[in-house]
Amino acid sequence: MNKDNNIEDWKEGQENEFEVPKEYFESLPRKLFSKIELIEELKEFSVLSSIEKKNPFIAPENYFEARDFVKAAIESEKKKEAVIVKFSGFVKRYKLAIAAVFVMTMGTTVLYKMYNKGQIEKVDCSEIACLTKEDITNSKYFDQISIDELETVANGEMLDSMNTQLNNELLNEILSDPETANITDEDLGI
Amino acid sequence: MKEQDDEEILQLFSKENSREQAFSALVNKYQRRLYWHIRKIVIDHDDTDDVLQNTFIKTWKGLDNFKQESQLFTWLYRIATNEALTFLKQKNKKNTQSINDIEYQLSKSLESDNYFRGDQIELKLQQAILTLPEKQRIVFNLRYYEEMPYEKMSEVLETSVGALKASYHHAAKKVEEYLVSN
């Protein structure tokens, strides 16, 4: 073997004056695998994978340097404290009026709830990760979705139909098997 | 300036005399990443600025109670995502518009946005992304642009890895179909 090509004799890249970030080499294989996975995922989408991936948005010039989020956060807490002090003074002064308003509000809420029972609020995309039942059952990742999540999208009717289907399949399997086809109810003690 | 470790930031924050210094380090470390994450959800810069400010206010108030069961990074992303979604819901209520109308408005506002420098293809891609349901849009952006691993995304969005993979696959399919037909 050519000595120049022997990796054991190749001293380049061993100890030198350069540094790499903490745990760089340990995390490199994982990062590479993740990159390959990303490319593989988009392989079947020819248009999407042909687009150069870059952020098309911009922020105003010096936005991050000029914007003081620390000050804003601290001031918001001070404001809140000031509001609490003012509010407690207000409560002390008008406690009877506040109690009356509270009782009226509670009463109105109870009445409102009684008359609006059964109305369901329309929520955008309440199913898991915005997938429809069809998306989930047809998905190649179906077996990786947790049972709890599946339960949230499966209604009673769907579960009953799955159950019946499974029972029928089991029954057909038993009847078609020559070893079990002749078993009578009596044999089973039914 | 060298970025501080999350652990170091949290330690500093736990001491009364270095709270501000720790919070400042946290803001410096994460403000850009959180800004772009929120921006891709709410689209408009001024709205993003509001949501980012609320995110940091919530962080300042909640950091004392942060249990370190998850990484600081995923906790911040979770706050930012929830704030952005709440913002869109409120905007929706104020304008008494349906979700589809809001997405249409966001899509239209892209065309006149001074802070959008994308070419025609990028504009089409953003419009395609805006046709996705909100949560699927977040999954798509986190994976496509930020290349976030599913395990991390699972912590941020509190959804299983399998569901996220399926969601991303369907989102990419819808985006591709939009790009082909438009």
Side-chain angles (χ1 to χ4, degrees), chain A residues 35 41 44-48 53-56 58 60 63-65 67 69 74 76-77 129 135 149, chain B residues 31-32 36 39 45 49 52-53 57 60 115 117 122 143-144 147 150 160 167-170 176:
Chain A
K35 200 83 190 164
E41 278 173 345
E44 63 182 283
F45 308 114
S46 58
V47 181
L48 194 54
K53 220 188 270 186
K54 60 180 178 191
N55 181 5
I58 47 169
Y63 168 72
F64 295 108
E65 291 73 24
R67 189 72 165 91
F69 288 113
I74 295 166
S76 88
E77 194 161 69
D135 289 340
E149 286 175 324
Chain B
Q31 62 175 348
R32 282 178 175 78
W36 294 118
R39 180 78 187 270
H45 162 74
D49 183 57
L52 186 57
Q53 177 168 315
I57 289 173
W60 170 260
Y115 299 119
R117 59 158 176 211
E122 278 150 3
R143 186 70 183 156
Y144 182 78
E147 303 189 343
Y150 285 114
S160 76
S167 184
Y168 179 65
H169 186 261
H170 281 276
E176 176 83 359

Side-chain angles (χ1 to χ4, degrees), chain A residues 55-169:
Chain A
N55 181 5
F57 298 99
I58 47 169
E61 215 178 327
N62 293 329
Y63 168 72
F64 295 108
E65 291 73 24
R67 189 72 165 91
D68 195 346
F69 288 113
V70 181
K71 199 176 156 196
I74 295 166
E75 275 177 5
S76 88
E77 194 161 69
K78 279 182 190 159
K79 266 185 207 162
K80 194 183 148 197
E81 280 164 11
V83 169
I84 291 169
V85 170
K86 268 189 192 171
F87 183 71
S88 57
F90 178 81
V91 169
K92 269 182 200 162
R93 215 179 297 164
Y94 300 106
K95 47 188 171 194
L96 273 177
I98 291 167
V101 170
F102 177 74
V103 171
M104 275 169 68
T105 313
M106 288 297 285
T108 317
T109 312
V110 170
L111 283 173
Y112 178 80
K113 292 264 179 203
M114 277 169 67
Y115 284 105
N116 287 285
K117 234 184 206 174
Q119 280 189 14
I120 299 162
E121 198 188 339
K122 199 184 162 210
V123 185
D124 167 54
C125 207
S126 58
E127 288 158 344
I128 55 166
C130 293
L131 296 167
T132 63
K133 280 164 203 155
E134 203 186 13
D135 289 340
I136 294 166
T137 44
N138 292 335
S139 172
K140 59 180 174 179
Y141 302 109
F142 179 76
D143 56 339
Q144 293 176 34
I145 299 174
S146 75
I147 296 294
D148 285 349
E149 286 175 324
L150 287 174
E151 276 175 358
T152 63
V153 288
N155 55 26
E157 205 180 302
M158 188 179 169
L159 287 173
D160 286 347
S161 103
M162 281 165 78
N163 204 13
T164 315
Q165 201 186 334
L166 276 172
N167 283 340
N168 288 340
E169 278 171 16

Side-chain angles (χ1 to χ4, degrees), chain B residues 2 5 15 21 30 41 45 51 54 56 60 63 67 82 95 101 113 140 149 151-152 157-158 161 170 173-175:
Chain B
K2 203 187 160 216
D5 279 347
K15 292 171 200 151
Q21 186 201 337
Y30 289 109
I41 303 173
H45 162 74
V51 175
N54 289 343
F56 281 127
W60 170 260
L63 206 54
K67 300 256 178 0
N82 289 339
N95 299 332
D101 290 338
D113 193 341
F140 185 84
E151 291 70 25
K152 273 219 163 78
L157 302 174
E158 293 171 312
V161 168
H170 281 276
K173 199 172 161 190
K174 284 185 215 165
V175 169

Side-chain angles (χ1 to χ4, degrees), chain B residues 103-123:
Chain B
E103 274 150 10
Y104 176 75
Q105 289 298 329
L106 290 176
S107 173
K108 278 278 141 203
S109 71
L110 268 178
E111 291 170 32
S112 55
D113 193 341
N114 291 329
Y115 299 119
F116 185 83
R117 59 158 176 211
D119 55 21
Q120 269 311 104
I121 298 168
E122 278 150 3
L123 179 66

Side-chain angles (χ1 to χ4, degrees), chain B residues 41-76:
Chain B
I41 303 173
V42 302
I43 305 296
D44 179 68
H45 162 74
D46 292 327
D47 293 343
T48 308
D49 183 57
D50 286 345
V51 175
L52 186 57
Q53 177 168 315
N54 289 343
T55 302
F56 281 127
I57 289 173
K58 288 237 164 111
T59 307
W60 170 260
K61 286 176 187 165
L63 206 54
D64 267 336
N65 303 319
F66 175 62
K67 300 256 178 0
Q68 294 193 52
E69 282 158 3
S70 61
Q71 282 180 295
L72 181 60
F73 155 84
T74 47
W75 183 65
L76 291 171

Side-chain angles (χ1 to χ4, degrees), chain A residues 9-55:
Chain A
D9 298 328
W10 191 43
K11 298 287 179 197
E12 194 77 38
Q14 289 187 5
E15 275 178 34
N16 57 47
E17 70 273 26
F18 296 106
E19 270 182 43
V20 291
K22 208 170 123 188
E23 292 177 2
Y24 170 78
F25 290 112
E26 288 78 2
S27 62
L28 190 61
R30 187 174 39 83
K31 279 183 187 159
L32 284 174
F33 178 74
S34 178
K35 200 83 190 164
I36 293 165
E37 196 188 13
L38 275 161
I39 297 166
E40 288 292 318
E41 278 173 345
L42 288 181
K43 232 179 184 175
E44 63 182 283
F45 308 114
S46 58
V47 181
L48 194 54
S49 54
S50 70
I51 298 172
E52 195 194 343
K53 220 188 270 186
K54 60 180 178 191
N55 181 5

Side-chain angles (χ1 to χ4, degrees), chain B residues 78-95:
Chain B
R78 209 179 304 154
I79 297 175
T81 308
N82 289 339
E83 281 300 308
L85 288 175
T86 308
F87 174 85
L88 284 184
K89 253 180 218 146
Q90 280 168 351
K91 195 172 179 174
N92 206 18
K93 267 186 197 162
K94 261 187 212 163
N95 299 332

